[in-house]
Amino acid sequence: MPEPYDAITMGRIGVDLYPLDIGVPLARVETFGKFLGGSPTNVAVAAARLGRRTAVITRTGRDAFGDYLHQELQGFGVDDRWVTEVEAYPTPVTFCEIFPPDDFPLHFYRQPKAPDLEIHPAELDLDAVRDARIFWMTGTGLSAEPSRAATLAALRARSEGAGGRGAFSEGAHSESVRSEDPARGARAATVFDLDWRPMFWDGGDHSSVAPARYREALAHATVAVGNIDECEIATGEREPHAAARALLEAGVELAVVKQGPKGVLAVHRDGSTADVPPLPVEVVNGLGAGDAFGGALCHGLLAGWDIARTMRYANAAGAIVASRIACSSAMPFPDEVERALAEGAVTDDIASGPSGAAS
């Protein structure tokens, strides 16, 4: 049998066209950079940068942009065997505006429908999904059919497979950590990235169906990760500790609540917690930080680190990407994350590191 993937992610993909002019409205931008984009795809890239064997399940248009995305995935070392074409719809394009430190409007072009929402259950390699050490899905995948049915089929394959809902055990993330990379193939987590994008849902911010769909998916996940707004959609709670408790009550074993400039709160069902402050950084573009955090979260879960160490590492990875313009090509390498942790901040030399993605 082939060796299981360290992580398989599923969902959004597209081309990011990001301005190379900072602090300029989109109407006045003259120069753009072209990058691989899409949150779960970026998570796969981020984990691959940290040495993990990753793949992504998604779909593109049958066009030049789709060809570009395959080229980029292969260059980043992400397996693209499950990235298939949809003839009816073009590959999505996303523009952003960059107004540091905290204003980064996104403009999605995903009409009439994004190909990544045309993933069908029958197309899934459920054996590979079931066997992957981490499976990562997002809220966007629940927003439309057939993607919703496919996402739930993948989640059910994980929760109904051998060994139950995952390899988390009570106390697994206490201060007494497990050894680096326990038995290859042991399942580490099924992660639900709450990923609330109201523009993708009927009703937007007032969608009447999103909370129920989130609850249905949470019942199959072992880890939930999201910011305050995303936690509110999933649980109705905005206070971080209350949101974490609600996520645990919904069925997960580890709740990760991202709080922006206040850092990140992680609470495990066994009672262990970590409330980790952010790493100081001069923000250039905050859009890819959460995806870098996600890839590093996968890395820490796979390594069996305690939750405090995992959150510190993920925070550092996210901060590094926030110091750079791009998302996918800005994902840090292990030595960059370790340097940021050792320095206690993202210094200028780290921000302009070997990825070549700095401002």
Side-chain angles (χ1 to χ4, degrees):
M1 292 180 61
E3 184 178 357
Y5 288 87
D6 288 327
I8 294 177
T9 70
M10 178 175 176
R12 203 161 66 248
I13 195 171
V15 175
D16 287 347
L17 294 175
Y18 282 6
L20 302 183
D21 305 312
I22 296 175
V24 178
L26 195 59
R28 289 170 38 206
V29 173
E30 295 184 356
T31 307
F32 295 85
K34 181 177 65 175
F35 307 100
L36 169 74
S39 180
T41 304
N42 282 338
V43 169
V45 171
R49 276 274 169 96
L50 298 173
R52 300 300 178 174
R53 180 170 177 257
T54 68
V56 62
I57 301 169
T58 189
R59 306 195 75 183
T60 71
R62 184 170 295 172
D63 50 33
F65 277 153
D67 295 340
Y68 165 75
L69 295 176
H70 279 279
Q71 169 189 306
E72 289 297 285
L73 286 168
Q74 292 165 12
F76 287 126
V78 176
D79 196 325
D80 64 346
R81 69 181 61 195
W82 297 305
V83 182
T84 58
E85 296 177 341
V86 177
E87 189 166 2
Y89 304 122
T91 300
V93 174
T94 302
F95 291 88
C96 81
E97 296 174 279
I98 300 178
F99 298 103
D102 58 4
D103 187 17
F104 310 102
L106 279 168
H107 307 270
F108 292 98
Y109 289 79
R110 291 170 58 86
Q111 299 299 328
K113 187 178 185 180
D116 54 60
L117 293 175
E118 279 292 305
I119 303 171
H120 292 259
E123 299 168 344
L124 297 176
D125 184 340
L126 291 178
D127 288 336
V129 169
R130 185 181 298 112
D131 293 343
R133 300 180 67 202
I134 287 179
F135 175 67
W136 181 288
M137 46 71 65
T138 78
T140 297
L142 303 172
S143 66
E145 295 291 4
S147 173
R148 174 175 174 262
T151 301
L152 290 172
L155 287 172
R156 292 189 189 103
R158 297 282 292 180
S159 63
E160 295 170 2
R165 295 179 58 236
F168 266 122
S169 61
E170 297 299 319
H173 288 265
S174 68
E175 289 301 314
S176 177
V177 301
R178 293 175 288 170
S179 60
E180 179 77 16
D181 281 332
R184 298 286 294 178
R187 189 178 304 173
T190 300
V191 184
F192 182 1
D193 178 359
L194 301 180
D195 183 44
W196 173 239
R197 304 284 182 174
M199 69 286 292
F200 300 157
W201 290 79
D202 290 340
D205 281 312
H206 306 288
S207 172
S208 60
V209 299
R213 291 184 179 176
Y214 272 57
R215 288 193 296 271
E216 185 176 8
L218 282 169
H220 298 280
T222 62
V223 178
V225 55
N227 62 31
I228 295 297
D229 291 337
E230 293 165 340
C231 289
E232 184 178 23
I233 290 297
T235 69
E237 300 284 355
R238 288 191 63 83
E239 194 281 321
H241 288 272
R245 288 193 298 270
L247 289 169
L248 296 178
E249 291 168 1
V252 304
E253 299 175 23
L254 177 65
V256 180
V257 183
K258 296 184 287 187
Q259 304 174 76
K262 294 183 179 180
V264 60
L265 170 70
V267 181
H268 192 273
R269 186 183 292 172
D270 68 6
S272 57
T273 65
D275 200 342
V276 179
L279 204 66
V281 58
E282 184 175 345
V283 175
V284 173
N285 183 1
L287 291 175
D291 303 334
F293 182 100
L297 172 63
C298 291
H299 184 63
L301 293 173
L302 289 165
W305 295 344
D306 65 82
I307 60 174
R309 180 181 179 185
T310 300
M311 294 306 119
R312 287 193 298 268
Y313 195 93
N315 263 356
I320 290 170
V321 173
S323 73
R324 301 168 173 175
I325 287 178
C327 291
S328 53
S329 61
M331 296 301 169
F333 293 94
D335 66 298
E336 295 179 290
V337 182
E338 295 296 345
R339 284 171 56 208
L341 288 169
E343 294 283 348
V346 179
T347 57
D348 289 345
D349 63 320
I350 296 173
S352 59
S355 69
S359 58

